């Protein structure tokens, strides 16, 4: 795979006043749209400026559009943004035909941008949403103005890291063991399940305001009433791993080299799910990319350290506008 061998460019942190925002306020409102044959819930964070540029946020595995609530508020003076619940997650319906691949999710993002008529957009993805965003940026460069990847789920030789939940590995292969894990997860108390996920995603879960925890508990309680929730998680996990194992032109690493948009990679040095040592390699693979590694931050920097993440994104936007 062709890539630069030198160090990745250091991300610029824009020195601009960030707006005050309510760190315990409710998620942004949204509505259900029909996209690529799926019933997709889309939240909208309107820009507080008449010149806000279009942006799209893509969440990770087991996440939802609410993962972007605070970052979207901080960037509202510059971005007019939408955040999608991918099919099978949040308030969206199931994926048509049970297609939970990275390519299928990418088609939903492409469909949303095309239907909105607002492209090219600033595209931001976290974890599995980062993998989806890479595919969109590589295959539809006409729709992406800049790309921000926060701990993107890129291929790792260790399919399940030692710091992650060991049960995840059992979900990768269909069979009795996988079914048993799915049943065990479905029977866990909602609060226990939410806290377990947050401990995997945060370096320090105590940084999350109690109100945000209660909102996450309420969201999962609502999702548990949906018959496709467990299936969506398991099949999305398997779809991600299949994407990792692709070779040739469809290789995830080769996709990175095809990205033309100015890009930013943000990673927490205490990421328990995707090894931070992959961060420089990802940034070097993208022809025009900057890298920011945040100290004492986990897998979801946009939630754990939204202000620094916002400043790095604004640095990227400033550089793109200067062109």
């Amino acid at each position: 795979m062709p890539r630069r061998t030198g160090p990745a460019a250091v991300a610029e942190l824009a020195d601009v006043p960030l707006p005050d925002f309510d760190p315990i306020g409710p998620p942004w409102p949204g509505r259900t749209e029909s996209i690529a044959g799926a019933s997709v819930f889309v939240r909208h964070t309107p820009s507080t400026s008449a010149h806000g540029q279009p942006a799209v946020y893509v969440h990770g595995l087991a996440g939802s559009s609410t993962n972007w609530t605070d970052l979207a508020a901080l960037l509202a003076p510059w971005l007019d943004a939408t955040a999608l619940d991918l099919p099978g997650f949040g308030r969206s319906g199931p994926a048509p035909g049970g297609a939970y691949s990275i390519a299928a999710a990418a088609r939903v993002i492409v469909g949303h941008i095309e239907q909105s008529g607002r492209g090219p957009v600033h595209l931001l993805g976290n974890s599995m949403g980062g993998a989806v965003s890479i595919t969109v940026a590589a295959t539809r460069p006409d729709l992406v103005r800049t790309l921000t990847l926060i701990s993107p789920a890129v291929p790792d030789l260790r399919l399940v890291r030692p710091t992650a939940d060991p049960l995840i590995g059992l979900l990768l292969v269909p069979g009795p063991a996988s079914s048993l894990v799915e049943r065990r997860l479905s029977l866990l108390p909602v609060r226990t399940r939410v806290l377990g996920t947050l401990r995997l995603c945060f370096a320090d879960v105590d940084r999350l305001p109690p109100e945000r925890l209660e909102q996450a508990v309420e969201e999962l309680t609502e999702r548990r009433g949906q018959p496709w929730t467990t299936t969506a998680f398991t099949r999305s996990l398997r779809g991600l791993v299949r994407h990792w194992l692709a070779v040739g032109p469809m290789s995830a690493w080769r996709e990175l080299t095809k990205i033309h948009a100015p890009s930013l990679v943000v990673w927490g040095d205490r990421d328990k799910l995707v090894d931070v040592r992959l961060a420089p390699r990802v940034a070097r693979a993208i022809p025009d990319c900057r890298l920011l590694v945040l100290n004492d931050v986990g897998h979801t920097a946009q939630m754990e350290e939204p202000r620094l993440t916002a400043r790095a994104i604004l640095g990227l936007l400033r550089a793109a506008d200067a062109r």
Side-chain angles (χ1 to χ4, degrees), residues 226-305:
Q226 301 165 343
W228 56 80
T229 296
T230 302
T231 299
F233 178 86
T234 302
R235 292 189 180 179
S236 294
L237 175 63
R238 293 172 185 167
L240 177 61
V241 173
R242 283 195 299 270
H243 183 69
W244 285 2
L245 298 177
V247 296
M250 301 302 294
S251 162
W253 285 107
R254 188 166 294 183
E255 279 188 327
L256 289 166
T257 68
K258 298 177 182 177
I259 294 172
H260 300 294
S263 301
L264 167 69
V265 171
V266 180
W267 223 294
D269 70 346
R270 291 181 59 190
D271 194 325
K272 301 167 188 168
L273 294 172
V274 187
D275 198 332
V276 68
R277 289 176 294 184
L278 293 169
R281 183 180 175 189
V282 172
R284 287 195 301 266
I286 301 173
D288 180 7
C289 192
R290 299 147 184 79
L291 173 63
L292 175 66
V293 176
L294 294 170
N295 293 328
D296 199 29
V297 172
H299 187 61
T300 49
Q302 79 275 18
M303 299 173 69
E304 194 167 6
E305 190 53 82

Side-chain angles (χ1 to χ4, degrees), residues 58-61 68 86 100-107 109 123-139 147-156 236-237 239-244 250-253 255-256 259 267 274 282 286 299:
V58 190
H59 67 79
L61 186 66
W68 302 98
L86 291 172
Y100 289 100
S101 66
I102 296 299
R107 287 193 291 272
I109 301 303
L123 184 60
L124 302 90
N126 170 228
S127 190
M128 183 184 74
V132 173
S133 299
I134 289 168
T135 295
V136 173
T139 58
L147 175 67
T148 297
L149 303 172
I150 301 175
S151 290
V154 293
D156 191 343
S236 294
L237 175 63
L240 177 61
V241 173
R242 283 195 299 270
H243 183 69
W244 285 2
M250 301 302 294
S251 162
W253 285 107
E255 279 188 327
L256 289 166
I259 294 172
W267 223 294
V274 187
V282 172
I286 301 173
H299 187 61

